[in-house]
Amino acid sequence: MGTFVPVLLHDSGHDPLPDIAGPLDALVACGANVLVVAAATGTDGYDSRPTLDDGQWATLLGNLDRLAAAAEEKGVRAVLHPHVGTMVETGIEVVRVVTGSEIKLCLDTGHLLIGGTDPLQLARQVPGRIAHAHLKDVDAGLAARVQAGELTYTEAVRQGMYTPLGGGDVDIAGIITALRSNGFDGWFVMEQDTILDSEPTDEGPVRDVRTSVAYMADVCRSVPV
């Protein structure tokens, strides 16, 4: 399997290679083989981020390829995870990574949609660049309010922006079909971010997990996987 590691990539005075040394050793020790990297902002949380100039972008892109090469030396595949509140969030930024680096991508269906990228379209356009997938479903109405600045990412998550698979506006079945038909043989990881303000009085998130698993079982019966 793999692990998620936010890494500062755009600062020319910071070498990110030591930041992944420990996670890489842990992956090798566990027999896992995917390092999921996010381009950290250098600040806490996911509700604000700086704007990069061309020099900082060049540093970020170069560091992505350095991380991928360092991971490959350990027998691990590094993938870049476009993520809300990181330096690779929007559709323009995703394209910049695809055209300016060689690193593979983690297709996170939720974060891509919230950042303004159609995950199904991306899966169809660059299937060879996608080596790992996080399957999330999203309430597109709340995602639009995040894009418009009406809600912070954290506020939207608290309001239920992430839904059980099949309950939102992401074409999960279409994405799985597009990837598998183009030779994808990586992991599909089911995720649903949530914020609990108190102890659930019923099954809570477990109920949503059951719903997502049942949905995926239906998809797997209808989609060649």
Side-chain angles (χ1 to χ4, degrees):
M1 198 50 179
T3 190
F4 176 74
V5 183
V7 185
L8 185 65
L9 299 169
H10 62 269
D11 184 348
S12 60
H14 176 76
D15 183 359
L17 290 181
D19 297 337
I20 67 167
L24 280 177
D25 288 342
L27 287 172
V28 171
C30 294
N33 60 0
V34 182
L35 179 72
V36 182
V37 175
T41 63
T43 60
D44 292 333
Y46 295 113
D47 291 333
S48 63
R49 62 194 190 120
T51 299
L52 302 188
D53 59 29
D54 287 343
Q56 290 170 313
W57 263 107
T59 298
L60 185 153
L61 295 171
N63 278 329
L64 283 176
D65 286 340
R66 291 179 65 220
L67 294 188
E72 187 175 3
E73 289 179 359
K74 296 275 190 175
V76 174
R77 169 169 282 171
V79 293
L80 187 277
H81 184 331
H83 193 295
V84 174
T86 69
M87 302 320 307
V88 183
E89 172 184 332
T90 69
I92 291 174
E93 291 157 358
V94 172
V95 169
R96 202 158 185 172
V97 168
V98 170
T99 59
S101 76
E102 298 297 326
I103 195 168
K104 301 289 187 178
L105 298 179
C106 169
L107 185 90
D108 186 300
T109 60
H111 282 280
L112 285 167
L113 182 67
I114 298 163
T117 297
D118 181 339
L120 176 57
Q121 185 179 41
L122 185 65
R124 288 171 172 168
Q125 287 177 336
V126 291
R129 290 294 294 273
I130 297 166
H132 195 64
H134 289 176
L135 300 181
K136 293 187 180 76
D137 214 340
V138 174
D139 180 322
L142 286 171
R145 294 183 66 190
V146 173
Q147 293 171 15
E150 298 174 9
L151 290 175
T152 67
Y153 175 75
T154 302
E155 290 168 342
V157 173
R158 180 173 280 111
Q159 291 186 30
M161 179 169 58
Y162 291 113
T163 74
L165 296 184
D169 297 292
V170 177
D171 185 355
I172 300 294
I175 289 165
I176 292 174
T177 300
L179 290 177
R180 294 293 292 183
S181 64
N182 282 284
F184 178 82
D185 62 355
W187 286 92
F188 288 110
V189 181
M190 292 191 299
E191 294 187 332
Q192 183 186 334
D193 297 356
T194 189
I195 294 175
L196 298 178
D197 294 316
S198 61
E199 186 74 20
T201 58
D202 57 10
E203 283 191 308
V206 174
R207 178 187 58 247
D208 292 343
V209 171
R210 295 185 196 280
T211 300
S212 291
V213 170
Y215 174 83
M216 282 299 296
D218 287 340
V219 170
C220 289
R221 281 191 288 267
S222 60
V223 174
V225 294

